[in-house]
Amino acid sequence: MAKVLITGGAGFLGSHLCDKFIAEGYEVVCMDNFVTGSPDNIAHLMGNPNFKFILHDVTNYVYVEGELDYILHFASPASPIDYLKLPIQTLKVGSLGTHKALGLAKAKNARILLASTSEVYGDPLIHPQPEDYWGNVNPVGYRGVYDEAKRFAEALTMAYHRYHGVETRIVRIFNTYGPRMRLQDGRAIPNFINQALKNKDVTVYGDGAQTRSVCYVDDLVDGIYRLLLSDETDPVNIGNPAELTMLELAKEIIELTGSQSEITFEDLPSDDPKVRQPNITRAREILNWEPKVERKTGLIRTIADFKKRLHIV
Ligand code: NAD
Ligand code: UDP
């Protein structure tokens, strides 16, 4: 039975990855310090003999008993409100935490996959973004704490690959949504759903003309699984290229929830990317992967999960 360590495993994406690897017959070790994650996300796995949870901050020396075949390094705040509130922890987990995870991969002779992000492209000047675009990031801006941590993490991962021969994979994840996102997560989809279900004003930042391309979590997990098992060491974008403006997204969610909410416009956060859309040619060619879940279907499933947690019948 292959054994996988998932750092950040009690978070939104990490917990779905724990489910995937348990379902595929792996032994899963989930490591998290709950800084933005929750025990609720993994409660259903507790007691499963193939699942083990370790409460630990991965910026400190990481110890895992026995052999390890794979490491998925997902620990990091990911929502802008989280990393703006936790700037130093975010820089530390991207740098020191990635260093610890890579050191563990080297010691255990394990293959490691780094969760990187479309934020490495910053406010992109090339659209859609292919992997060979180097990005447009403001290192001293508020978002720089996240973007530069991930850019450093990518550089460190490639250095461990080239210098130590560690088997590495890098996924650049584009905006992903789905069940288990925190109700107060602060990202656009959870905010809009939460507000719409409570018939409160739906807060669109700026004029809402900025775009994103949102991917349903099951598609992302499938892409990550394929990448981990592939031979590809260069970064691969995983995301859904269906692009829309944030105003369109707000309207869609109001309609799907049957809400009475009005849209209000608030200040745009600084350095907020104006456009974002993955070029997924490499994922298609190398992984034979593309997203399958239509946005409407994914949003309906996510709304159902939010309703359940908000006790709305
Ligand atoms: P999340 O906040 O739900 O999950 C992150 C998890 O990491 C949480 O459980 C948190 O407690 C844990 N964590 C943070 N710092 C830690 C530390 N020092 N030690 C141990 N655990 C720690 O966010 P998410 O959306 O699930 O994102 C997971 C990963 O995917 C992150 O690395 C993020 O950068 C990346 N990512 C996510 C998206 C997205 O759209 N969801 C997009 C791009 C990249
Ligand atoms: N956004 C918004 N209203 C909200 C939350 C976010 O208009 O209540 C905007 C935000 O300014 C950005 C887009 O939605 O332009 C996506 O934001 P999110 O935090 O989901 O992800 P990121 O900016 O990291 O792509």
Side-chain angles (χ1 to χ4, degrees), residues 185-233:
D185 173 295
R187 285 179 272 193
I189 289 180
N191 263 12
F192 293 168
I193 294 179
N194 198 23
Q195 292 160 341
L197 287 175
K198 294 173 180 166
N199 291 312
K200 289 186 175 163
D201 286 350
V202 169
T203 55
V204 168
Y205 300 158
D207 60 5
Q210 70 274 30
T211 68
R212 295 293 186 270
S213 309
V214 297
C215 182
Y216 187 66
V217 62
D218 290 1
D219 282 332
L220 181 89
V221 164
D222 176 37
I224 288 171
Y225 190 69
R226 287 171 190 240
L227 176 60
L228 180 73
L229 300 184
S230 78
D231 292 328
E232 187 57 41
T233 47

Side-chain angles (χ1 to χ4, degrees), residues 260-279:
Q260 305 299 313
S261 294
E262 303 281 337
I263 291 175
T264 54
F265 295 90
E266 296 191 356
D267 289 346
L268 191 66
S270 64
D271 296 328
D272 198 285
K274 286 179 266 310
V275 291
R276 181 180 289 155
Q277 185 187 31
N279 175 327

